[in-house]
Amino acid sequence: MGGPNRAFVVVALVAAALTVAAISSARAPRTVPVDASLPAAGQSDLLARGAVPVELRHRSGGRVRLAAALRGADGSTQALGAARVVTLARGRQRTVKLPLGDAGRALLESCPAGKLLVTVEGKGYSKARRASAPLRLDPPDCERFFSPRAFWNEALPADAPLDPSSAEVTGELIRSVEAGPGQGRPATINTDAYTPPVYTVPADQPRVKVELDQPAGIADDLRAALASVPLPADARAAPGTDAEIVVWQPSTDTLWEFWQLRRKSGRWHARWGGRLAGVSTGPAVFGSNWGTSASGLPLAGGLITPRELRSGRIDHALALGVPDVRAWEFAVPARRTDGVSTCRHAVPEGARFRLDPALDVDALGLPPAVATIARAAQRYGIVVREQAGAVAFYAQNASTFRADPYADLFQGRPPWELLASFPWRHLQLTRMQLVGTEGQERPLPRPEDVLRGCT
């Protein structure tokens, strides 16, 4: 067959093929022609922004409907806020914020595990475009500070070796605890003074300079580190002469802390401080001589939070302040000391105590908050962070919150009354790696140390 007949057959076949292609195209789902992505964001960033940011680019331009949700580990989804309709220009990148609703905010505040999910729908398109990203949960509201391998977060083995001087040094700590009430300084939990508020700031927090009030030529590296700090304008340091504060930015994995922070003539000033980068991966101690505490251990380390007390579980070591710290040496992980006691068995900064692992904490009938602290002391230990006016644990400052959470958590009792039931006499001192203060010889006994029979 040739000539016109052949040409007719070819045309017919082409037409049939086009018809089949058209039918197939009509049946195939048409996805919204939008490129969508979610910037890396943590739960604290989303709460600070009050919205879920999504980056969009419409290839042809048009109106789209956006909705944000959280997909849980079980595959269920919960809306984070109302859907939003926006018009996108062709080929242009745009960041759209999807506001959190009250239910979405409450969901994020509950520290949920899961993924953020944004759905993009368009009229005339049968298939939505979706973007997802893991939800990062941030300390202190949802997680603990520092790497799981940091000393703060490593559990002590049941057979951890004790220091040869455990009985004597622990005895000195117990002596301070038992003498405290008669001296007007009972063992306590600092919740409103001499413990830091923690300001968690988003990625776009404006930065300011914090002047270091030290003579020129002293700590110029620290002065430079404090030249750009995401410090909120309404930040307030803790009451007390230390006036300490922690600023934490999860998006950069960096925290700053300050000693004697204040505003003067409209500018921020501090007498000392530090910046710690790589918080989630680093060694959890300041280098050089940075850091607000006398030991060089960060204020965020060992801090008790209301979230932990509510849950009944603290998964890190606890920080402790102790009077009459040893003068001439400190224990690793501390970096330095401001101790003054000449007692041979005075407690050194950096010392790590623990409750006897054989002790049945649950059988002691302790108040819930004290039982939670005791279980942490048994599993992770207690690290002496600095010299203090009284034996004291440190909790996140109540000023961080809209309302003081500790009254309910302590069942209306003052913290020093609660700690009277803590099993101090079951403490043990784990093996120390002592470091002598460079260039300092062991001092002669102080008269006050001799008077209390300590040489």
Side-chain angles (χ1 to χ4, degrees), residues 330-383:
F330 55 89
V332 174
R335 304 296 298 268
R336 56 184 188 263
T337 182
D338 65 343
V340 296
S341 175
T342 56
C343 294
R344 185 175 190 85
H345 294 116
V347 177
E349 287 176 352
R352 189 171 187 171
F353 294 90
R354 72 173 308 164
L355 280 178
D356 184 344
L359 178 66
D360 187 350
V361 171
D362 293 334
L364 299 179
L366 302 173
V370 179
T372 299
I373 292 170
R375 284 191 291 267
Q378 189 173 50
R379 186 177 182 198
Y380 294 94
I382 302 170
V383 179

Side-chain angles (χ1 to χ4, degrees), residues 195-199 231-232 234-238 242-247 255-262 268 270 274 292 299:
T195 193
V198 179
Y199 286 88
L231 179 62
D234 60 351
R236 295 292 181 270
D242 288 346
E244 64 265 64
I245 188 174
V246 171
V247 177
L255 64 75
W256 295 257
E257 63 179 43
F258 299 96
W259 181 60
Q260 295 190 351
L261 179 77
R262 67 197 185 283
W268 287 104
T292 295
L299 297 181

Side-chain angles (χ1 to χ4, degrees), residues 192-218:
D192 56 5
Y194 294 101
T195 193
V198 179
Y199 286 88
T200 302
V201 298
D204 57 359
Q205 175 69 42
R207 290 177 173 253
V208 297
K209 181 179 181 179
V210 178
E211 299 279 357
L212 183 64
D213 291 342
Q214 296 292 339
I218 294 179

Side-chain angles (χ1 to χ4, degrees), residues 82-252:
R84 184 180 176 188
V85 176
V86 298
T87 301
L88 302 175
R90 179 179 180 179
R92 296 186 66 176
Q93 191 84 14
R94 179 180 172 186
T95 299
V96 175
K97 295 181 179 179
L98 303 178
L100 298 174
D102 291 342
R105 177 174 288 277
L107 176 61
L108 291 177
E109 288 175 344
S110 72
C111 305
K115 287 186 175 183
L116 291 175
L117 177 66
V118 169
T119 303
V120 186
E121 298 174 317
K123 187 176 181 180
Y125 297 95
S126 55
K127 187 176 180 181
R129 177 74 64 181
R130 288 182 172 83
S132 66
L135 176 66
R136 186 186 70 232
L137 300 178
D138 301 317
D141 292 338
C142 289
E143 284 290 339
R144 56 189 180 178
F145 281 105
F146 310 120
S147 160
R149 296 177 299 280
F151 72 91
W152 291 110
N153 298 329
E154 286 191 325
L156 290 167
D159 60 350
L162 300 184
D163 196 82
S165 63
S166 175
E168 293 83 1
V169 177
T170 304
E172 274 297 297
L173 175 57
I174 294 169
R175 183 201 60 76
S176 291
V177 170
E178 295 179 345
Q183 299 168 345
R185 53 181 194 180
T188 189
I189 307 168
N190 290 349
T191 62
D192 56 5
Y194 294 101
T195 193
V198 179
Y199 286 88
T200 302
V201 298
D204 57 359
Q205 175 69 42
R207 290 177 173 253
V208 297
K209 181 179 181 179
V210 178
E211 299 279 357
L212 183 64
D213 291 342
Q214 296 292 339
I218 294 179
D220 286 341
D221 56 344
L222 179 58
R223 193 184 313 276
L226 305 185
S228 178
V229 182
L231 179 62
D234 60 351
R236 295 292 181 270
T241 55
D242 288 346
E244 64 265 64
I245 188 174
V246 171
V247 177
W248 160 233
Q249 190 173 53
S251 61
T252 60

Side-chain angles (χ1 to χ4, degrees), residues 12 17 40 49 57 197 231 242-243 276 303 305 368 415:
R49 296 169 188 248
R57 186 178 67 86
L231 179 62
D242 288 346
L276 192 61
L303 203 61
T305 70

